[in-house]
Structure formats: structure tokens, C-alpha cells
Amino acid sequence: MPTYRFLAVALDAPGHVHSILGFSEALKAAGHEVCLAHREKYRSLAEKRGVSFIPFGGDFADSNADELMINLIDACADKFRKEPLECFREMAKFASAGLADTEAQFMAFFEPLNKIITERCNEFDAIISDMPGPLLRIYDHLIPWFPLVSTAPLALYPSGPPFSSGYSVNSDKSKWIEFRDVYNKAHATLLKLPSHLMEAMGIPEFDLDSFDLGKYIDHVQSVGFYHYPADLDFTECAPVRPNWHRIDCWIRKQEVDTEFVIPEKLQDKPGKLIYFSLGTLASADITMMKKLIAILAKSPHRFIVSKGSRGDRLELADNMWGENYVNQIKIIEKVDLVITHGGNNTFMETLYYGKPMIVIPYFYDQYDNAQRVVEKNIGFRINPYEIEEEPLLDCIEKAIGDHELKNRIKAISQNMRNSNSLTEAIKVIEQQIEKFEK
């Protein structure tokens, strides 16, 4: 099999970038070359993994998308701490107000990406993309492209509960209809693309009443992939959308040049070791972080805390150690329990290393992962709008002491490690590139 050159692209969010780099590592292990095109801030992450880098030019190179998202948390934190249906009702009310900023940010991202693909596509044999949406449809006849879905996969199951609802597969389906209607109205305006781009991508324009998330993921040039363990996949909601295939996981490998040592502050303290992280965005909700830290301070266990970008505003208790950014993969391997927002990268890493988890979902697919944890009896779900001291501390003790729960997670971990689905997926990609070249 020849060596192929892949251009990797992803949404401007750490989770999507980490996901595309995990997949890139697998391509490199198979003998291929990968180059990530993105903002300069991600260069070191790519190059550490042997992935070359093309920086974005233009306005987006200097934009501060991180600050925009943090500002969104400041403006809407009280809305994110509502159950998902009410959260999206609120979003629907103010969606149109931010249309100009959303469209400008999208164009700032798309223009340098389009420039790189059109001017340098002859340097590459294919594109891999962790970018939900139809952008790559423009290049159908130019170069092979393979989309990845790094979120929980409910959007790929039309017969399942609505994506981001956190509803059980056994819940009242009449609620599903209402949720989809509210979700669509909340996102139609926010995701409305300029008409000339819609036309170029072959997508009919939609209005507030006809938007459907499925339109953004139905078109696959040849094959697309999502990562979710076979033991947790939504097979009871089959079939999956056409041309989408599951991979058990493609998590990032541990960095060999770093090691995590349990901080001296915690080494001689009693109790189990627990990792607490709410991810890049939810950790910016200082009100919620302070409330959770105050509760965890009353636990007899020890905590390693990923404090997030505003960590300097947080004061940790005596049974805690943390930094704004920590070596998450190394830490998860060493702890007894993970308390997480349920973002899919952390979710997959926690499962891969066989750790029980408590999920405190903040938005989007985090709610779906939290509900799946409950349905498969591998941990607990605590909603951010229902945080109380006694239930959280009780969940910690149950998760640590339930040996049958731990055995279920270990079995999932072992199956993920033994899976050859990623290797087979890369073979499929190689075959599709070969067909395209003919």
C-alpha cells in the first residue's frame, strides 16, 4: 500500500482538534503523512505527535475564538444550567441577535481553510475532517475527503432520541418531537450560511421551520467514521445513517516525554484519588466551579482538579491540587474515579483506561453521554441545575465501592483495546483513495 498524504482540518475547539490528532496518530502509525491546517496556537500539539502544520492566514489567524466562547458562558451561564429543552428554548429566543457575529466568525474560519485546500490540494491525497457540516462538499470532485464525528453519535441515529437531549432511548417519544422542534429553531438562524456558500455546497436554503441537523451530516462522499465503544453504541436505535461506520476509539496516545507524579500535597493524605474536570468551556462557569469545589472539599478523598482558563479565580481546598491545564491522559490512568462534563474525548479516555465516572453535563452531546452512563450502569449522572451536596458525595462513594460497576467498565476498556476497528477503517480509507485516483 502506498504512502498517502492527508490534510487534517477541524472546528476551532480543543475537543475537535484533539480528536483529529488522535486519528492522525493512527494514520501515521499506518505509514502515512498528516498535516494539520489550523490556528497557530495548535502547532505544538500537532508537532508533538509528528503531524506537520499549516497555519491559517487572514483575520482568523489573529481572532480570539476562545474569548468569544468564554463571553458566551458569561452571558448565558444561567441558561446552560437549565435542562436541555429549556436551554434551547432560551437559545431560540436570542439566536437571531448574534447572527452577524456568527456569520462573520464562520467566514473568518472558512476563507483561510478554503484558500489552503484550493491552492494546496495537489500536495495531498485526501482530507480528514472533524468538522460537522457540509463544508467539504465543495471539494467532492477535487480530492477525497473523510468526515469524522467526534461527538456522541446520536445525530447519526434518526430513530434514536434527539441529539443533545439527554433523553433515554426508552423515554416518551412525544417529548422527542417537541425537543427536535425547539432545537431546530434554536440553531436554524445560528447555522444559516451565506446563500452563495449554500448553493456551492448543493444544499437548499432552509428556514426556521425546516432546519434539520441531518442535512449537515447526510452527505458523505464515500465513507465517514464516528468513535464510540461497541458496548455503548445505540444499536437499539439502528439503523445508523448511510455510509457512517463506528470505530471503537481513536484517542490520543500518551506523550512519552512527560510523566505525571501525584503531587506531594496529596501523597500522604487518605482516600481515593479522583480527577475533576469540566472541560474547556464549562470550567469557565466560575459560579458552578466554586459550588462543586466547596462540595468536594467535604469528601474524604483526594482530588486533582483541572481548573480551566479562569483557574486563577478558584481557590482549592486542602484535599485538592490543580492547575489551569493538566496532563489529562496521564492523570486518568492513575486515578480511581473521574468526575467529568462528559465531553466525548474525556468520555472515551475515561472508558479506555477503565475508570468509573460521574458525569455533570453542561451542554450538547455531554447530556447524551451522561444518560448513556446511566443506561449502561457504568457511573452516575448529576445535572448542573440539580447539584446538591449529599447526592454528589453519595455518588462518589457508590462509584468507588461498586465492584460490579468497575468490572463492567474494565470489560468495556478491554474490548476497546482489543478492537481492530481503527485499523480496518484506515484500510477502507486507503481503498477509497485508490478508487478515487483511478
Side-chain angles (χ1 to χ4, degrees):
M1 182 61 66
T3 296
Y4 291 122
R5 297 160 296 172
F6 289 87
L7 177 65
V9 298
L11 282 180
D12 187 37
H16 292 279
V17 174
H18 288 151
S19 165
I20 202 77
L21 290 175
F23 200 90
S24 298
E25 287 178 326
L27 288 170
K28 286 187 58 63
H32 303 297
E33 300 174 6
V34 187
C35 180
L36 175 67
H38 220 295
R39 288 167 57 191
E40 182 66 34
K41 66 172 287 186
Y42 293 115
R43 179 189 291 273
S44 62
L45 280 177
E47 292 180 346
K48 276 183 182 179
R49 289 170 165 77
V51 174
S52 54
F53 190 80
I54 300 175
F56 278 3
D59 295 339
F60 194 75
D62 299 319
S63 69
N64 194 341
D66 301 330
E67 185 175 337
L68 289 175
M69 293 306 296
I70 297 300
N71 291 341
L72 177 65
I73 295 294
D74 285 341
C76 306
D78 60 328
K79 298 177 177 63
F80 287 131
R81 292 189 226 110
K82 295 181 178 180
E83 60 99 2
L85 179 62
E86 291 307 313
C87 175
F88 288 122
R89 276 196 215 281
E90 293 290 333
M91 284 182 63
K93 292 177 184 177
F94 67 81
S96 60
L99 178 59
D101 289 341
T102 301
E103 191 168 301
Q105 187 67 13
F106 169 80
M107 292 303 296
F109 178 89
F110 178 75
E111 287 173 353
L113 175 63
N114 181 56
K115 181 179 176 65
I116 289 170
I117 294 176
T118 53
E119 293 183 359
R120 303 184 62 169
C121 68
N122 61 328
E123 300 176 25
F124 301 98
D125 299 294
I127 300 172
I128 54 169
S129 164
D130 190 340
M131 187 185 304
L135 297 184
L136 297 183
R137 187 175 297 190
I138 296 175
Y139 312 106
D140 261 355
H141 304 294
L142 189 63
I143 190 170
W145 56 269
F146 304 94
L148 310 177
V149 167
S150 62
T151 62
L154 264 181
L156 301 176
Y157 284 92
S159 298
F163 176 73
S164 300
S165 67
Y167 289 162
S168 165
V169 295
N170 301 312
S171 61
D172 181 356
K173 291 189 178 182
S174 66
K175 294 182 178 180
W176 301 7
I177 297 171
E178 180 185 17
F179 185 92
R180 286 194 174 98
D181 179 63
V182 172
Y183 182 95
N184 290 345
K185 287 179 179 177
H187 290 80
T189 305
L190 288 172
L191 296 180
K192 190 172 179 62
L193 306 181
S195 57
H196 68 283
L197 289 178
M198 300 288 285
E199 182 179 353
M201 290 179 250
I203 303 171
E205 288 199 57
F206 51 79
D207 57 36
L208 289 176
D209 297 319
S210 64
F211 171 75
D212 179 0
L213 178 65
K215 289 182 180 179
Y216 277 77
I217 52 181
D218 260 352
H219 178 85
V220 177
Q221 186 192 58
S222 58
V223 63
F225 302 97
Y226 66 98
H227 68 153
Y228 219 65
D231 296 291
L232 301 186
D233 201 6
F234 295 86
T235 51
E236 65 267 60
C237 304
V240 72
R241 291 183 184 273
N243 302 317
W244 287 95
H245 299 270
R246 183 188 53 77
I247 296 175
D248 280 285
C249 76
W250 63 68
I251 67 170
R252 299 165 292 157
K253 296 186 183 304
Q254 294 193 10
E255 297 173 11
V256 297
D257 60 339
T258 60
E259 188 57 57
F260 179 77
V261 177
I262 297 174
E264 185 176 346
K265 176 184 178 182
L266 300 181
Q267 286 180 4
D268 296 328
K269 292 187 182 298
K272 298 295 186 180
L273 190 62
I274 299 171
Y275 176 53
F276 169 49
S277 170
L278 291 188
T280 305
L281 293 181
S283 64
D285 186 339
I286 294 297
T287 298
M288 190 167 74
M289 286 290 289
K290 286 183 176 180
K291 181 175 183 178
L292 285 164
I293 287 171
I295 293 174
L296 298 179
K298 299 180 181 180
S299 168
H301 303 293
R302 303 169 293 162
F303 294 87
I304 295 172
V305 181
S306 177
K307 297 193 292 182
S309 59
R310 290 173 161 175
D312 294 342
R313 293 166 58 179
L314 298 173
E315 184 175 346
L316 298 183
D318 189 53
N319 62 339
M320 301 174 189
W321 173 91
E323 293 180 342
N324 290 15
Y325 302 99
V326 299
N327 192 335
Q328 176 167 292
I329 297 180
K330 295 276 190 180
I331 291 170
I332 288 177
E333 186 180 30
K334 292 181 180 290
V335 299
D336 301 291
L337 172 68
V338 174
I339 300 176
T340 170
H341 61 308
N344 213 43
N345 283 320
T346 304
F347 183 72
M348 297 293 288
E349 291 161 5
T350 302
L351 292 169
Y352 185 83
Y353 290 104
K355 309 298 180 178
M357 69 181 92
I358 296 171
V359 184
I360 306 175
Y362 201 67
F363 49 48
Y364 288 104
D365 65 315
Q366 298 166 16
Y367 278 99
D368 299 332
N369 281 333
Q371 181 58 30
R372 209 56 174 162
V373 163
V374 173
E375 288 177 342
K376 294 298 183 178
N377 199 9
I378 56 172
F380 298 90
R381 167 181 175 172
I382 293 181
N383 295 316
Y385 48 88
E386 296 176 331
I387 296 172
E388 295 181 3
E389 179 179 315
E390 186 175 344
L392 176 53
L393 296 179
D394 186 52
C395 283
I396 291 173
E397 298 306 322
K398 287 179 178 177
I400 288 173
D402 191 332
H403 297 292
E404 292 184 1
L405 181 149
K406 291 179 182 178
N407 288 337
R408 284 190 290 273
I409 297 171
K410 287 178 181 177
I412 294 171
S413 171
Q414 200 60 49
N415 290 339
M416 292 171 73
R417 292 167 181 266
N418 292 339
S419 172
N420 65 351
S421 56
L422 181 55
T423 300
E424 293 302 315
I426 291 175
K427 289 180 182 178
V428 170
I429 289 174
E430 293 166 345
Q431 293 164 0
Q432 291 298 326
I433 295 174
E434 188 176 1
K435 285 181 183 178
F436 192 93
E437 292 178 343
K438 292 178 180 179

